[in-house]
Amino acid sequence: MIRDVLAPRLLGRRVPLPLVAWLALVWVTLWGDLTVGNVLGGLATGLAVTWLLPLPILDPGVRVRPVALVRLLLWIAWNMVTSTARVVFWVAHPGPPPTRIVRVPLRTSSEAMTVLIMIALSTVPGSLVVEKYREELVVHVLGLTGDVTGTVLADVAELEERIVRAFGTVRDREELG
C-alpha cells in the first residue's frame, strides 16, 4: 500500500516520488534560484527522467536487526579501545612492534557481508585487510604477541558472526551454521 503512495503508476510505469522530489531539489540547486518556474521545471524534469529511465529494483542483500546492530557496535567500540591501547603501547615501546600476516577463511559467501567485515577490520587500529582472496582475507595485525593466528582467527570469526547476525539475510545466517 505504501508503495502505491510513494511510487504511483504513470502511463503504466512506476514513478518514485521521493526520487522525483530529490531530482527537483537538485535542479533548483543547480539553477541557484528558488522560483516557481524552477521548482515546476525540476518536477517536470524529475518526472521525465524517472519515467523514461526507470531504475531496476535492487536488493543489496542487507537486512538491519537493531538489537544485533547495537551488540555489534558495542563490541567494535570495545575492540577499538583495547586495540588503540595496544597500538599506543607499542608506539611508546622501544623497538619494532610485532607484526603478522594471517590468512583468515570466511564462512559467508555474501559480497555485502564480506565488505562489511573488511571495513570493520580496517577501522580497528592495529589491523588492516591486505587482500581478499576467494573466500579468505589476508589480514595484517600489529602488536599481538603469542598465538597470533588463533587469536586473529577467533576474533574475525566472532566479528563475522556479529555482522551477519546484524545485517545478513536468512541465507547468510544459514551459512554460519
Side-chain angles (χ1 to χ4, degrees), residues 98 100 144-151:
R100 298 282 189 276
L144 287 179
T145 58
D147 182 21
V148 173
T149 304
T151 303

Side-chain angles (χ1 to χ4, degrees), residues 10-47:
L10 179 67
L11 300 174
R13 287 195 179 166
R14 289 209 176 270
V15 177
L17 295 181
L19 181 58
V20 171
W22 172 252
L23 291 173
L25 178 68
V26 170
W27 179 270
V28 171
T29 304
L30 288 174
W31 279 102
D33 194 16
L34 181 62
T35 63
V36 175
N38 276 343
V39 172
L40 292 176
L43 289 172
T45 303
L47 276 171

Side-chain angles (χ1 to χ4, degrees), residues 69-85 120 123-125 159 162:
L69 176 60
V70 168
R71 288 181 183 152
L72 170 67
L73 292 175
L74 290 172
W75 189 80
I76 287 176
W78 175 251
N79 272 349
M80 290 185 87
V81 169
T82 57
S83 296
T84 300
T123 301
V124 174
L159 174 65
R162 288 179 183 270

Side-chain angles (χ1 to χ4, degrees), residues 46-91:
L47 276 171
V49 167
T50 56
W51 190 83
L52 291 171
L53 306 168
L55 293 173
I57 297 172
L58 298 177
D59 181 9
V62 176
R63 309 292 183 269
V64 178
R65 292 177 186 80
V67 174
L69 176 60
V70 168
R71 288 181 183 152
L72 170 67
L73 292 175
L74 290 172
W75 189 80
I76 287 176
W78 175 251
N79 272 349
M80 290 185 87
V81 169
T82 57
S83 296
T84 300
R86 185 176 61 242
V87 170
V88 166
F89 170 79
W90 284 107
V91 167

Side-chain angles (χ1 to χ4, degrees), residues 30 47 59 136 140 156 158 176:
L30 288 174
L47 276 171
D59 181 9
E136 288 183 332
H140 178 268
V156 173
E158 186 172 357
L176 290 181

